[in-house]
Amino acid sequence: MVWPKSQTQVGNHVHPLLRPHDLRLTVFSTFAFTTHCKKIILSMIMKLLLSEKRIQQRVGFLARRISRDFLGREILMVGVLKGAFIFMADLVRKLKIPVRLDFVRLASYGDGTCSSGKIQFTKDLECSLRGKDVLIVEDIIDTGVTLQYLYRCLKARRPGSLAVVTLLDKPSRRKVSFQADYIGFQIPDHFVVGYGLDCAEEYRNLRGIYIVK
Ligand code: IMP
Ligand code: MG
């Protein structure tokens, strides 16, 4: 990399911190230090609940069961954005049957950690469900309000069959009765992030699932 003179020279002297090599080292060590600090802060506010390995094993198990149950059929998987995007991407790649994909996005009014119960589509499906084997893919069922609403809406569009797979289930938090057909993990009443799940849009890209302390 060629460093322009103006960036490295102060008057006729090159400032030690601005010499190209030192500057790169400084930038690198600042980056390494920041990354290290971030890791320490993350470990202070989060606790690992499900490791990447456990999640992948369970997703493999779910994929085998779904492939077996829908053998000889094609399923239309409906991902619930945004939280289910990583789970859905891993799940579809492990399935042994033909699949088509579509997505919905629902907004539920409330604060960052609690839904209020009033739900609305902010992105609807692009295809018809009539006569198709449809599988809703959700990241987590908490109160059950979102999925109950979505299930009823999609059922009214006359699919051939309608089932739900959720990676996580918090049964102790239910406000309405709702049971998924395929469940990855039942977890206790904690707010969790990672593997697609967020807290105020952060942490979706963590490979494991963490409890926010
Ligand atoms: P429900 O309507 O209360 O079942 O909540 C459904 C939605 O709330 C999920 O699809 C998530 O987007 C969000 N949610 C519920 N619990 C958590 C959590 O622990 N972490 C992140 N998002 C959550
Ligand atoms: Mg969700």
Side-chain angles (χ1 to χ4, degrees), residues 132-158:
K132 293 178 184 160
D133 289 313
V134 178
L135 181 63
I136 300 172
V137 186
E138 176 64 300
D139 53 354
I140 185 165
I141 307 179
D142 186 32
T143 62
V145 172
T146 308
L147 262 191
Q148 191 190 59
Y149 174 83
L150 180 63
Y151 190 91
R152 284 178 181 167
C153 289
L154 299 194
K155 193 77 188 165
R157 300 182 192 185
R158 305 254 176 270

mmCIF file with all atom_site columns, all heavy atoms in Angstrom, residues 132-158:
data_model
loop_
_atom_site.group_PDB
_atom_site.id
_atom_site.type_symbol
_atom_site.label_atom_id
_atom_site.label_alt_id
_atom_site.label_comp_id
_atom_site.label_asym_id
_atom_site.label_entity_id
_atom_site.label_seq_id
_atom_site.pdbx_PDB_ins_code
_atom_site.Cartn_x
_atom_site.Cartn_y
_atom_site.Cartn_z
_atom_site.occupancy
_atom_site.B_iso_or_equiv
_atom_site.pdbx_formal_charge
_atom_site.auth_seq_id
_atom_site.auth_comp_id
_atom_site.auth_asym_id
_atom_site.auth_atom_id
_atom_site.pdbx_PDB_model_num
ATOM 1   N N   . LYS A 1 132 ? -50.909 -26.471 -1.138 1.00 0.00 ? 132 LYS A N   1
ATOM 2   C CA  . LYS A 1 132 ? -49.489 -26.809 -0.916 1.00 0.00 ? 132 LYS A CA  1
ATOM 3   C C   . LYS A 1 132 ? -49.240 -27.303 0.510  1.00 0.00 ? 132 LYS A C   1
ATOM 4   O O   . LYS A 1 132 ? -49.994 -26.972 1.426  1.00 0.00 ? 132 LYS A O   1
ATOM 5   C CB  . LYS A 1 132 ? -48.607 -25.596 -1.189 1.00 0.00 ? 132 LYS A CB  1
ATOM 6   C CG  . LYS A 1 132 ? -48.619 -25.202 -2.654 1.00 0.00 ? 132 LYS A CG  1
ATOM 7   C CD  . LYS A 1 132 ? -47.791 -23.983 -2.919 1.00 0.00 ? 132 LYS A CD  1
ATOM 8   C CE  . LYS A 1 132 ? -47.911 -23.570 -4.387 1.00 0.00 ? 132 LYS A CE  1
ATOM 9   N NZ  . LYS A 1 132 ? -47.541 -22.176 -4.621 1.00 0.00 ? 132 LYS A NZ  1
ATOM 10  N N   . ASP A 1 133 ? -48.171 -28.085 0.656  1.00 0.00 ? 133 ASP A N   1
ATOM 11  C CA  . ASP A 1 133 ? -47.720 -28.490 1.990  1.00 0.00 ? 133 ASP A CA  1
ATOM 12  C C   . ASP A 1 133 ? -46.830 -27.365 2.510  1.00 0.00 ? 133 ASP A C   1
ATOM 13  O O   . ASP A 1 133 ? -45.724 -27.154 1.994  1.00 0.00 ? 133 ASP A O   1
ATOM 14  C CB  . ASP A 1 133 ? -46.932 -29.797 1.917  1.00 0.00 ? 133 ASP A CB  1
ATOM 15  C CG  . ASP A 1 133 ? -47.836 -30.976 1.608  1.00 0.00 ? 133 ASP A CG  1
ATOM 16  O OD1 . ASP A 1 133 ? -48.896 -31.090 2.248  1.00 0.00 ? 133 ASP A OD1 1
ATOM 17  O OD2 . ASP A 1 133 ? -47.493 -31.775 0.709  1.00 0.00 ? 133 ASP A OD2 1
ATOM 18  N N   . VAL A 1 134 ? -47.333 -26.658 3.515  1.00 0.00 ? 134 VAL A N   1
ATOM 19  C CA  . VAL A 1 134 ? -46.638 -25.449 3.989  1.00 0.00 ? 134 VAL A CA  1
ATOM 20  C C   . VAL A 1 134 ? -46.050 -25.688 5.370  1.00 0.00 ? 134 VAL A C   1
ATOM 21  O O   . VAL A 1 134 ? -46.698 -26.260 6.252  1.00 0.00 ? 134 VAL A O   1
ATOM 22  C CB  . VAL A 1 134 ? -47.626 -24.252 4.025  1.00 0.00 ? 134 VAL A CB  1
ATOM 23  C CG1 . VAL A 1 134 ? -46.937 -23.007 4.566  1.00 0.00 ? 134 VAL A CG1 1
ATOM 24  C CG2 . VAL A 1 134 ? -48.191 -23.984 2.629  1.00 0.00 ? 134 VAL A CG2 1
ATOM 25  N N   . LEU A 1 135 ? -44.811 -25.255 5.528  1.00 0.00 ? 135 LEU A N   1
ATOM 26  C CA  . LEU A 1 135 ? -44.134 -25.374 6.830  1.00 0.00 ? 135 LEU A CA  1
ATOM 27  C C   . LEU A 1 135 ? -43.647 -23.982 7.240  1.00 0.00 ? 135 LEU A C   1
ATOM 28  O O   . LEU A 1 135 ? -42.791 -23.394 6.570  1.00 0.00 ? 135 LEU A O   1
ATOM 29  C CB  . LEU A 1 135 ? -42.942 -26.342 6.710  1.00 0.00 ? 135 LEU A CB  1
ATOM 30  C CG  . LEU A 1 135 ? -42.139 -26.599 7.979  1.00 0.00 ? 135 LEU A CG  1
ATOM 31  C CD1 . LEU A 1 135 ? -42.985 -27.276 9.068  1.00 0.00 ? 135 LEU A CD1 1
ATOM 32  C CD2 . LEU A 1 135 ? -40.915 -27.475 7.675  1.00 0.00 ? 135 LEU A CD2 1
ATOM 33  N N   . ILE A 1 136 ? -44.216 -23.468 8.317  1.00 0.00 ? 136 ILE A N   1
ATOM 34  C CA  . ILE A 1 136 ? -43.773 -22.165 8.850  1.00 0.00 ? 136 ILE A CA  1
ATOM 35  C C   . ILE A 1 136 ? -42.483 -22.385 9.632  1.00 0.00 ? 136 ILE A C   1
ATOM 36  O O   . ILE A 1 136 ? -42.394 -23.310 10.448 1.00 0.00 ? 136 ILE A O   1
ATOM 37  C CB  . ILE A 1 136 ? -44.847 -21.558 9.786  1.00 0.00 ? 136 ILE A CB  1
ATOM 38  C CG1 . ILE A 1 136 ? -46.171 -21.338 9.045  1.00 0.00 ? 136 ILE A CG1 1
ATOM 39  C CG2 . ILE A 1 136 ? -44.351 -20.260 10.407 1.00 0.00 ? 136 ILE A CG2 1
ATOM 40  C CD1 . ILE A 1 136 ? -47.335 -20.931 9.958  1.00 0.00 ? 136 ILE A CD1 1
ATOM 41  N N   . VAL A 1 137 ? -41.479 -21.537 9.381  1.00 0.00 ? 137 VAL A N   1
ATOM 42  C CA  . VAL A 1 137 ? -40.201 -21.655 10.087 1.00 0.00 ? 137 VAL A CA  1
ATOM 43  C C   . VAL A 1 137 ? -40.025 -20.431 10.990 1.00 0.00 ? 137 VAL A C   1
ATOM 44  O O   . VAL A 1 137 ? -39.906 -19.300 10.508 1.00 0.00 ? 137 VAL A O   1
ATOM 45  C CB  . VAL A 1 137 ? -39.014 -21.742 9.099  1.00 0.00 ? 137 VAL A CB  1
ATOM 46  C CG1 . VAL A 1 137 ? -37.710 -22.005 9.848  1.00 0.00 ? 137 VAL A CG1 1
ATOM 47  C CG2 . VAL A 1 137 ? -39.260 -22.832 8.063  1.00 0.00 ? 137 VAL A CG2 1
ATOM 48  N N   . GLU A 1 138 ? -40.002 -20.668 12.293 1.00 0.00 ? 138 GLU A N   1
ATOM 49  C CA  . GLU A 1 138 ? -39.928 -19.583 13.274 1.00 0.00 ? 138 GLU A CA  1
ATOM 50  C C   . GLU A 1 138 ? -38.676 -19.751 14.135 1.00 0.00 ? 138 GLU A C   1
ATOM 51  O O   . GLU A 1 138 ? -38.179 -20.880 14.316 1.00 0.00 ? 138 GLU A O   1
ATOM 52  C CB  . GLU A 1 138 ? -41.221 -19.612 14.118 1.00 0.00 ? 138 GLU A CB  1
ATOM 53  C CG  . GLU A 1 138 ? -41.309 -18.626 15.241 1.00 0.00 ? 138 GLU A CG  1
ATOM 54  C CD  . GLU A 1 138 ? -41.318 -17.167 14.805 1.00 0.00 ? 138 GLU A CD  1
ATOM 55  O OE1 . GLU A 1 138 ? -40.337 -16.738 14.173 1.00 0.00 ? 138 GLU A OE1 1
ATOM 56  O OE2 . GLU A 1 138 ? -42.273 -16.450 15.144 1.00 0.00 ? 138 GLU A OE2 1
ATOM 57  N N   . ASP A 1 139 ? -38.168 -18.643 14.646 1.00 0.00 ? 139 ASP A N   1
ATOM 58  C CA  . ASP A 1 139 ? -36.986 -18.733 15.512 1.00 0.00 ? 139 ASP A CA  1
ATOM 59  C C   . ASP A 1 139 ? -37.351 -19.143 16.936 1.00 0.00 ? 139 ASP A C   1
ATOM 60  O O   . ASP A 1 139 ? -36.742 -20.019 17.519 1.00 0.00 ? 139 ASP A O   1
ATOM 61  C CB  . ASP A 1 139 ? -36.203 -17.396 15.520 1.00 0.00 ? 139 ASP A CB  1
ATOM 62  C CG  . ASP A 1 139 ? -37.078 -16.193 15.870 1.00 0.00 ? 139 ASP A CG  1
ATOM 63  O OD1 . ASP A 1 139 ? -38.311 -16.346 16.000 1.00 0.00 ? 139 ASP A OD1 1
ATOM 64  O OD2 . ASP A 1 139 ? -36.515 -15.084 16.013 1.00 0.00 ? 139 ASP A OD2 1
ATOM 65  N N   . ILE A 1 140 ? -38.418 -18.485 17.475 1.00 0.00 ? 140 ILE A N   1
ATOM 66  C CA  . ILE A 1 140 ? -38.749 -18.748 18.875 1.00 0.00 ? 140 ILE A CA  1
ATOM 67  C C   . ILE A 1 140 ? -40.235 -18.496 19.112 1.00 0.00 ? 140 ILE A C   1
ATOM 68  O O   . ILE A 1 140 ? -40.808 -17.561 18.551 1.00 0.00 ? 140 ILE A O   1
ATOM 69  C CB  . ILE A 1 140 ? -37.867 -17.866 19.809 1.00 0.00 ? 140 ILE A CB  1
ATOM 70  C CG1 . ILE A 1 140 ? -38.092 -18.204 21.278 1.00 0.00 ? 140 ILE A CG1 1
ATOM 71  C CG2 . ILE A 1 140 ? -38.065 -16.382 19.576 1.00 0.00 ? 140 ILE A CG2 1
ATOM 72  C CD1 . ILE A 1 140 ? -36.997 -17.647 22.200 1.00 0.00 ? 140 ILE A CD1 1
ATOM 73  N N   . ILE A 1 141 ? -40.847 -19.357 19.914 1.00 0.00 ? 141 ILE A N   1
ATOM 74  C CA  . ILE A 1 141 ? -42.230 -19.098 20.348 1.00 0.00 ? 141 ILE A CA  1
ATOM 75  C C   . ILE A 1 141 ? -42.155 -18.702 21.810 1.00 0.00 ? 141 ILE A C   1
ATOM 76  O O   . ILE A 1 141 ? -41.642 -19.451 22.643 1.00 0.00 ? 141 ILE A O   1
ATOM 77  C CB  . ILE A 1 141 ? -43.143 -20.322 20.176 1.00 0.00 ? 141 ILE A CB  1
ATOM 78  C CG1 . ILE A 1 141 ? -43.070 -20.850 18.732 1.00 0.00 ? 141 ILE A CG1 1
ATOM 79  C CG2 . ILE A 1 141 ? -44.585 -19.945 20.515 1.00 0.00 ? 141 ILE A CG2 1
ATOM 80  C CD1 . ILE A 1 141 ? -43.930 -22.075 18.489 1.00 0.00 ? 141 ILE A CD1 1
ATOM 81  N N   . ASP A 1 142 ? -42.665 -17.522 22.068 1.00 0.00 ? 142 ASP A N   1
ATOM 82  C CA  . ASP A 1 142 ? -42.592 -16.955 23.415 1.00 0.00 ? 142 ASP A CA  1
ATOM 83  C C   . ASP A 1 142 ? -44.017 -16.943 23.997 1.00 0.00 ? 142 ASP A C   1
ATOM 84  O O   . ASP A 1 142 ? -44.480 -17.942 24.520 1.00 0.00 ? 142 ASP A O   1
ATOM 85  C CB  . ASP A 1 142 ? -41.981 -15.553 23.267 1.00 0.00 ? 142 ASP A CB  1
ATOM 86  C CG  . ASP A 1 142 ? -41.698 -14.878 24.580 1.00 0.00 ? 142 ASP A CG  1
ATOM 87  O OD1 . ASP A 1 142 ? -41.386 -15.578 25.547 1.00 0.00 ? 142 ASP A OD1 1
ATOM 88  O OD2 . ASP A 1 142 ? -41.789 -13.640 24.649 1.00 0.00 ? 142 ASP A OD2 1
ATOM 89  N N   . THR A 1 143 ? -44.764 -15.850 23.837 1.00 0.00 ? 143 THR A N   1
ATOM 90  C CA  . THR A 1 143 ? -46.152 -15.826 24.310 1.00 0.00 ? 143 THR A CA  1
ATOM 91  C C   . THR A 1 143 ? -47.057 -16.677 23.408 1.00 0.00 ? 143 THR A C   1
ATOM 92  O O   . THR A 1 143 ? -48.131 -17.085 23.826 1.00 0.00 ? 143 THR A O   1
ATOM 93  C CB  . THR A 1 143 ? -46.701 -14.380 24.319 1.00 0.00 ? 143 THR A CB  1
ATOM 94  O OG1 . THR A 1 143 ? -46.687 -13.888 22.982 1.00 0.00 ? 143 THR A OG1 1
ATOM 95  C CG2 . THR A 1 143 ? -45.880 -13.480 25.210 1.00 0.00 ? 143 THR A CG2 1
ATOM 96  N N   . GLY A 1 144 ? -46.639 -16.880 22.165 1.00 0.00 ? 144 GLY A N   1
ATOM 97  C CA  . GLY A 1 144 ? -47.438 -17.648 21.204 1.00 0.00 ? 144 GLY A CA  1
ATOM 98  C C   . GLY A 1 144 ? -48.349 -16.774 20.356 1.00 0.00 ? 144 GLY A C   1
ATOM 99  O O   . GLY A 1 144 ? -48.972 -17.253 19.406 1.00 0.00 ? 144 GLY A O   1
ATOM 100 N N   . VAL A 1 145 ? -48.410 -15.485 20.680 1.00 0.00 ? 145 VAL A N   1
ATOM 101 C CA  . VAL A 1 145 ? -49.339 -14.561 20.017 1.00 0.00 ? 145 VAL A CA  1
ATOM 102 C C   . VAL A 1 145 ? -49.017 -14.440 18.521 1.00 0.00 ? 145 VAL A C   1
ATOM 103 O O   . VAL A 1 145 ? -49.906 -14.525 17.671 1.00 0.00 ? 145 VAL A O   1
ATOM 104 C CB  . VAL A 1 145 ? -49.304 -13.179 20.715 1.00 0.00 ? 145 VAL A CB  1
ATOM 105 C CG1 . VAL A 1 145 ? -50.106 -12.158 19.934 1.00 0.00 ? 145 VAL A CG1 1
ATOM 106 C CG2 . VAL A 1 145 ? -49.830 -13.295 22.140 1.00 0.00 ? 145 VAL A CG2 1
ATOM 107 N N   . THR A 1 146 ? -47.737 -14.267 18.198 1.00 0.00 ? 146 THR A N   1
ATOM 108 C CA  . THR A 1 146 ? -47.329 -14.076 16.795 1.00 0.00 ? 146 THR A CA  1
ATOM 109 C C   . THR A 1 146 ? -47.696 -15.293 15.954 1.00 0.00 ? 146 THR A C   1
ATOM 110 O O   . THR A 1 146 ? -48.305 -15.166 14.893 1.00 0.00 ? 146 THR A O   1
ATOM 111 C CB  . THR A 1 146 ? -45.797 -13.847 16.706 1.00 0.00 ? 146 THR A CB  1
ATOM 112 O OG1 . THR A 1 146 ? -45.450 -12.800 17.595 1.00 0.00 ? 146 THR A OG1 1
ATOM 113 C CG2 . THR A 1 146 ? -45.365 -13.507 15.306 1.00 0.00 ? 146 THR A CG2 1
ATOM 114 N N   . LEU A 1 147 ? -47.336 -16.470 16.436 1.00 0.00 ? 147 LEU A N   1
ATOM 115 C CA  . LEU A 1 147 ? -47.579 -17.668 15.630 1.00 0.00 ? 147 LEU A CA  1
ATOM 116 C C   . LEU A 1 147 ? -49.049 -18.020 15.544 1.00 0.00 ? 147 LEU A C   1
ATOM 117 O O   . LEU A 1 147 ? -49.509 -18.511 14.511 1.00 0.00 ? 147 LEU A O   1
ATOM 118 C CB  . LEU A 1 147 ? -46.768 -18.847 16.157 1.00 0.00 ? 147 LEU A CB  1
ATOM 119 C CG  . LEU A 1 147 ? -45.486 -19.066 15.377 1.00 0.00 ? 147 LEU A CG  1
ATOM 120 C CD1 . LEU A 1 147 ? -44.836 -20.370 15.725 1.00 0.00 ? 147 LEU A CD1 1
ATOM 121 C CD2 . LEU A 1 147 ? -45.727 -19.016 13.867 1.00 0.00 ? 147 LEU A CD2 1
ATOM 122 N N   . GLN A 1 148 ? -49.788 -17.772 16.591 1.00 0.00 ? 148 GLN A N   1
ATOM 123 C CA  . GLN A 1 148 ? -51.228 -18.049 16.527 1.00 0.00 ? 148 GLN A CA  1
ATOM 124 C C   . GLN A 1 148 ? -51.868 -17.186 15.436 1.00 0.00 ? 148 GLN A C   1
ATOM 125 O O   . GLN A 1 148 ? -52.661 -17.655 14.638 1.00 0.00 ? 148 GLN A O   1
ATOM 126 C CB  . GLN A 1 148 ? -51.888 -17.777 17.881 1.00 0.00 ? 148 GLN A CB  1
ATOM 127 C CG  . GLN A 1 148 ? -53.310 -18.307 17.933 1.00 0.00 ? 148 GLN A CG  1
ATOM 128 C CD  . GLN A 1 148 ? -54.056 -17.831 19.151 1.00 0.00 ? 148 GLN A CD  1
ATOM 129 O OE1 . GLN A 1 148 ? -54.216 -16.625 19.356 1.00 0.00 ? 148 GLN A OE1 1
ATOM 130 N NE2 . GLN A 1 148 ? -54.482 -18.762 19.978 1.00 0.00 ? 148 GLN A NE2 1
ATOM 131 N N   . TYR A 1 149 ? -51.462 -15.917 15.404 1.00 0.00 ? 149 TYR A N   1
ATOM 132 C CA  . TYR A 1 149 ? -51.977 -14.986 14.394 1.00 0.00 ? 149 TYR A CA  1
ATOM 133 C C   . TYR A 1 149 ? -51.571 -15.451 12.989 1.00 0.00 ? 149 TYR A C   1
ATOM 134 O O   . TYR A 1 149 ? -52.399 -15.565 12.090 1.00 0.00 ? 149 TYR A O   1
ATOM 135 C CB  . TYR A 1 149 ? -51.425 -13.580 14.675 1.00 0.00 ? 149 TYR A CB  1
ATOM 136 C CG  . TYR A 1 149 ? -51.762 -12.566 13.613 1.00 0.00 ? 149 TYR A CG  1
ATOM 137 C CD1 . TYR A 1 149 ? -52.989 -11.910 13.616 1.00 0.00 ? 149 TYR A CD1 1
ATOM 138 C CD2 . TYR A 1 149 ? -50.860 -12.276 12.596 1.00 0.00 ? 149 TYR A CD2 1
ATOM 139 C CE1 . TYR A 1 149 ? -53.310 -10.984 12.631 1.00 0.00 ? 149 TYR A CE1 1
ATOM 140 C CE2 . TYR A 1 149 ? -51.167 -11.351 11.606 1.00 0.00 ? 149 TYR A CE2 1
ATOM 141 C CZ  . TYR A 1 149 ? -52.384 -10.707 11.632 1.00 0.00 ? 149 TYR A CZ  1
ATOM 142 O OH  . TYR A 1 149 ? -52.694 -9.799  10.654 1.00 0.00 ? 149 TYR A OH  1
ATOM 143 N N   . LEU A 1 150 ? -50.280 -15.754 12.814 1.00 0.00 ? 150 LEU A N   1
ATOM 144 C CA  . LEU A 1 150 ? -49.784 -16.162 11.495 1.00 0.00 ? 150 LEU A CA  1
ATOM 145 C C   . LEU A 1 150 ? -50.435 -17.464 11.046 1.00 0.00 ? 150 LEU A C   1
ATOM 146 O O   . LEU A 1 150 ? -50.834 -17.606 9.886  1.00 0.00 ? 150 LEU A O   1
ATOM 147 C CB  . LEU A 1 150 ? -48.249 -16.316 11.539 1.00 0.00 ? 150 LEU A CB  1
ATOM 148 C CG  . LEU A 1 150 ? -47.590 -16.743 10.237 1.00 0.00 ? 150 LEU A CG  1
ATOM 149 C CD1 . LEU A 1 150 ? -47.796 -15.690 9.152  1.00 0.00 ? 150 LEU A CD1 1
ATOM 150 C CD2 . LEU A 1 150 ? -46.089 -16.989 10.435 1.00 0.00 ? 150 LEU A CD2 1
ATOM 151 N N   . TYR A 1 151 ? -50.535 -18.413 11.960 1.00 0.00 ? 151 TYR A N   1
ATOM 152 C CA  . TYR A 1 151 ? -51.113 -19.720 11.631 1.00 0.00 ? 151 TYR A CA  1
ATOM 153 C C   . TYR A 1 151 ? -52.539 -19.546 11.114 1.00 0.00 ? 151 TYR A C   1
ATOM 154 O O   . TYR A 1 151 ? -52.915 -20.125 10.095 1.00 0.00 ? 151 TYR A O   1
ATOM 155 C CB  . TYR A 1 151 ? -51.078 -20.621 12.866 1.00 0.00 ? 151 TYR A CB  1
ATOM 156 C CG  . TYR A 1 151 ? -51.441 -22.055 12.568 1.00 0.00 ? 151 TYR A CG  1
ATOM 157 C CD1 . TYR A 1 151 ? -50.453 -22.990 12.233 1.00 0.00 ? 151 TYR A CD1 1
ATOM 158 C CD2 . TYR A 1 151 ? -52.765 -22.488 12.601 1.00 0.00 ? 151 TYR A CD2 1
ATOM 159 C CE1 . TYR A 1 151 ? -50.776 -24.308 11.944 1.00 0.00 ? 151 TYR A CE1 1
ATOM 160 C CE2 . TYR A 1 151 ? -53.099 -23.805 12.314 1.00 0.00 ? 151 TYR A CE2 1
ATOM 161 C CZ  . TYR A 1 151 ? -52.107 -24.702 11.989 1.00 0.00 ? 151 TYR A CZ  1
ATOM 162 O OH  . TYR A 1 151 ? -52.433 -26.005 11.697 1.00 0.00 ? 151 TYR A OH  1
ATOM 163 N N   . ARG A 1 152 ? -53.333 -18.732 11.829 1.00 0.00 ? 152 ARG A N   1
ATOM 164 C CA  . ARG A 1 152 ? -54.731 -18.513 11.421 1.00 0.00 ? 152 ARG A CA  1
ATOM 165 C C   . ARG A 1 152 ? -54.809 -17.845 10.051 1.00 0.00 ? 152 ARG A C   1
ATOM 166 O O   . ARG A 1 152 ? -55.618 -18.221 9.208  1.00 0.00 ? 152 ARG A O   1
ATOM 167 C CB  . ARG A 1 152 ? -55.454 -17.654 12.456 1.00 0.00 ? 152 ARG A CB  1
ATOM 168 C CG  . ARG A 1 152 ? -55.808 -18.462 13.686 1.00 0.00 ? 152 ARG A CG  1
ATOM 169 C CD  . ARG A 1 152 ? -56.479 -17.598 14.716 1.00 0.00 ? 152 ARG A CD  1
ATOM 170 N NE  . ARG A 1 152 ? -56.805 -18.374 15.904 1.00 0.00 ? 152 ARG A NE  1
ATOM 171 C CZ  . ARG A 1 152 ? -57.167 -17.846 17.058 1.00 0.00 ? 152 ARG A CZ  1
ATOM 172 N NH1 . ARG A 1 152 ? -57.257 -16.541 17.187 1.00 0.00 ? 152 ARG A NH1 1
ATOM 173 N NH2 . ARG A 1 152 ? -57.453 -18.599 18.094 1.00 0.00 ? 152 ARG A NH2 1
ATOM 174 N N   . CYS A 1 153 ? -53.940 -16.844 9.827  1.00 0.00 ? 153 CYS A N   1
ATOM 175 C CA  . CYS A 1 153 ? -53.934 -16.139 8.531  1.00 0.00 ? 153 CYS A CA  1
ATOM 176 C C   . CYS A 1 153 ? -53.602 -17.096 7.395  1.00 0.00 ? 153 CYS A C   1
ATOM 177 O O   . CYS A 1 153 ? -54.259 -17.091 6.353  1.00 0.00 ? 153 CYS A O   1
ATOM 178 C CB  . CYS A 1 153 ? -52.893 -15.018 8.514  1.00 0.00 ? 153 CYS A CB  1
ATOM 179 S SG  . CYS A 1 153 ? -53.336 -13.635 9.534  1.00 0.00 ? 153 CYS A SG  1
ATOM 180 N N   . LEU A 1 154 ? -52.566 -17.937 7.593  1.00 0.00 ? 154 LEU A N   1
ATOM 181 C CA  . LEU A 1 154 ? -52.130 -18.832 6.514  1.00 0.00 ? 154 LEU A CA  1
ATOM 182 C C   . LEU A 1 154 ? -53.122 -19.981 6.303  1.00 0.00 ? 154 LEU A C   1
ATOM 183 O O   . LEU A 1 154 ? -53.325 -20.438 5.184  1.00 0.00 ? 154 LEU A O   1
ATOM 184 C CB  . LEU A 1 154 ? -50.719 -19.360 6.783  1.00 0.00 ? 154 LEU A CB  1
ATOM 185 C CG  . LEU A 1 154 ? -49.605 -18.303 6.881  1.00 0.00 ? 154 LEU A CG  1
ATOM 186 C CD1 . LEU A 1 154 ? -48.234 -18.951 6.804  1.00 0.00 ? 154 LEU A CD1 1
ATOM 187 C CD2 . LEU A 1 154 ? -49.729 -17.209 5.825  1.00 0.00 ? 154 LEU A CD2 1
ATOM 188 N N   . LYS A 1 155 ? -53.733 -20.439 7.366  1.00 0.00 ? 155 LYS A N   1
ATOM 189 C CA  . LYS A 1 155 ? -54.730 -21.517 7.282  1.00 0.00 ? 155 LYS A CA  1
ATOM 190 C C   . LYS A 1 155 ? -55.909 -21.072 6.399  1.00 0.00 ? 155 LYS A C   1
ATOM 191 O O   . LYS A 1 155 ? -56.447 -21.861 5.623  1.00 0.00 ? 155 LYS A O   1
ATOM 192 C CB  . LYS A 1 155 ? -55.217 -21.855 8.692  1.00 0.00 ? 155 LYS A CB  1
ATOM 193 C CG  . LYS A 1 155 ? -55.995 -23.137 8.806  1.00 0.00 ? 155 LYS A CG  1
ATOM 194 C CD  . LYS A 1 155 ? -55.082 -24.360 8.773  1.00 0.00 ? 155 LYS A CD  1
ATOM 195 C CE  . LYS A 1 155 ? -55.889 -25.650 8.701  1.00 0.00 ? 155 LYS A CE  1
ATOM 196 N NZ  . LYS A 1 155 ? -55.062 -26.797 8.314  1.00 0.00 ? 155 LYS A NZ  1
ATOM 197 N N   . ALA A 1 156 ? -56.260 -19.780 6.526  1.00 0.00 ? 156 ALA A N   1
ATOM 198 C CA  . ALA A 1 156 ? -57.396 -19.241 5.756  1.00 0.00 ? 156 ALA A CA  1
ATOM 199 C C   . ALA A 1 156 ? -57.101 -19.210 4.255  1.00 0.00 ? 156 ALA A C   1
ATOM 200 O O   . ALA A 1 156 ? -58.010 -19.049 3.440  1.00 0.00 ? 156 ALA A O   1
ATOM 201 C CB  . ALA A 1 156 ? -57.708 -17.833 6.253  1.00 0.00 ? 156 ALA A CB  1
ATOM 202 N N   . ARG A 1 157 ? -55.815 -19.373 3.889  1.00 0.00 ? 157 ARG A N   1
ATOM 203 C CA  . ARG A 1 157 ? -55.472 -19.355 2.463  1.00 0.00 ? 157 ARG A CA  1
ATOM 204 C C   . ARG A 1 157 ? -55.507 -20.757 1.857  1.00 0.00 ? 157 ARG A C   1
ATOM 205 O O   . ARG A 1 157 ? -54.991 -20.990 0.776  1.00 0.00 ? 157 ARG A O   1
ATOM 206 C CB  . ARG A 1 157 ? -54.096 -18.703 2.277  1.00 0.00 ? 157 ARG A CB  1
ATOM 207 C CG  . ARG A 1 157 ? -54.087 -17.279 2.788  1.00 0.00 ? 157 ARG A CG  1
ATOM 208 C CD  . ARG A 1 157 ? -52.756 -16.601 2.578  1.00 0.00 ? 157 ARG A CD  1
ATOM 209 N NE  . ARG A 1 157 ? -52.692 -15.352 3.315  1.00 0.00 ? 157 ARG A NE  1
ATOM 210 C CZ  . ARG A 1 157 ? -51.696 -14.500 3.252  1.00 0.00 ? 157 ARG A CZ  1
ATOM 211 N NH1 . ARG A 1 157 ? -50.663 -14.750 2.463  1.00 0.00 ? 157 ARG A NH1 1
ATOM 212 N NH2 . ARG A 1 157 ? -51.715 -13.399 3.956  1.00 0.00 ? 157 ARG A NH2 1
ATOM 213 N N   . ARG A 1 158 ? -56.062 -21.711 2.580  1.00 0.00 ? 158 ARG A N   1
ATOM 214 C CA  . ARG A 1 158 ? -56.325 -23.075 2.117  1.00 0.00 ? 158 ARG A CA  1
ATOM 215 C C   . ARG A 1 158 ? -55.100 -23.855 1.638  1.00 0.00 ? 158 ARG A C   1
ATOM 216 O O   . ARG A 1 158 ? -55.095 -24.373 0.504  1.00 0.00 ? 158 ARG A O   1
ATOM 217 C CB  . ARG A 1 158 ? -57.368 -23.044 0.985  1.00 0.00 ? 158 ARG A CB  1
ATOM 218 C CG  . ARG A 1 158 ? -58.652 -22.325 1.370  1.00 0.00 ? 158 ARG A CG  1
ATOM 219 C CD  . ARG A 1 158 ? -59.780 -23.311 1.609  1.00 0.00 ? 158 ARG A CD  1
ATOM 220 N NE  . ARG A 1 158 ? -60.994 -22.670 2.068  1.00 0.00 ? 158 ARG A NE  1
ATOM 221 C CZ  . ARG A 1 158 ? -61.300 -22.466 3.365  1.00 0.00 ? 158 ARG A CZ  1
ATOM 222 N NH1 . ARG A 1 158 ? -60.480 -22.833 4.323  1.00 0.00 ? 158 ARG A NH1 1
ATOM 223 N NH2 . ARG A 1 158 ? -62.429 -21.888 3.712  1.00 0.00 ? 158 ARG A NH2 1
#
